[in-house]
Amino acid sequence: MKRGEPRVLVAYGSKNGSTAEIAERIGDVLSKAGCATAVCPAREAADDVAAYDAVVLGGALYSGDWHRDARRFARRAATALGARPLWLFSSGPLDASAGERDIPPVRGVRRVADRLDVCGHITFGGRLDENARGRLARTIVHAGRGGHFRDFARITAEWDRAWEAWV
């Protein structure tokens, strides 16, 4: 795709803010690459998809499920999403595994990917700290299994590559 400033929507489902911060970084990378980029929660974005040339959709992983807002967005906006390039990302492993190997998408993400013929999917490490909401999240943190496993250099590099492949 070679033309003026492509419009890219980066939508996300996030409970504790970690995935939102990853989405913001992706938006920054795409903006620096020349895209007019909007970053917003998936629950607010379904009606806006037609205004964009491409979409990035991300969701936090909780107990093996992709965030509900990301799944709902993909269902509500399926027709519009199917008509433009779509990339998916997940955020969530609370260990170094996402930086060490390619983590396959969870079932909910695979369904979206199969239905909408996505350009790609990647899983990034997550973050869970003492401010986490939800009983399960607090239990994980209190058990000492929380932490910060996001690699912003890797996030930047992956989206630089995705942008180059698209243009």
Side-chain angles (χ1 to χ4, degrees):
M1 173 179 180
K2 298 278 186 198
R3 60 180 176 154
E5 188 174 70
R7 297 160 309 194
V8 180
L9 172 64
V10 181
Y12 60 87
S14 184
K15 182 174 183 179
N16 288 301
S18 177
T19 306
E21 292 169 356
I22 292 171
E24 289 290 341
R25 173 58 63 94
I26 292 167
D28 290 345
V29 169
L30 294 173
S31 291
K32 288 177 183 168
C35 296
T37 307
V39 179
C40 67
R43 70 181 170 276
E44 299 172 7
D47 297 334
D48 299 334
V49 175
Y52 295 92
D53 300 307
V55 176
V56 176
L57 175 59
L61 297 173
Y62 295 100
S63 301
D65 287 327
W66 209 32
H67 194 281
R68 164 183 24 171
D69 291 347
R71 291 190 322 262
R72 288 178 178 169
F73 173 86
R75 271 193 313 272
R76 287 191 323 258
T79 300
L81 290 171
R84 58 200 26 81
L86 171 65
W87 287 266
L88 305 176
F89 75 91
S90 299
S91 155
L94 295 176
D95 58 28
S97 62
E100 297 169 348
R101 67 183 190 286
D102 184 33
I103 297 176
V106 298
R107 185 182 64 215
V109 177
R110 280 194 318 268
R111 284 185 193 142
V112 171
D114 291 345
R115 211 171 46 237
L116 297 175
D117 190 31
V118 301
C119 298
H121 169 269
I122 188 161
T123 299
F124 298 112
R127 174 189 54 121
L128 195 61
D129 61 26
E130 64 278 352
N131 298 318
R133 295 184 328 217
R135 188 182 57 170
L136 179 59
R138 286 190 305 273
T139 300
I140 291 169
V141 170
H142 292 296
R145 295 189 323 254
H148 181 325
F149 299 94
R150 296 172 300 168
D151 179 346
F152 284 101
R154 178 173 174 247
I155 293 164
T156 299
E158 291 292 342
W159 289 99
D160 277 338
R161 271 195 291 280
W163 166 250
E164 290 300 319
W166 185 45
V167 296

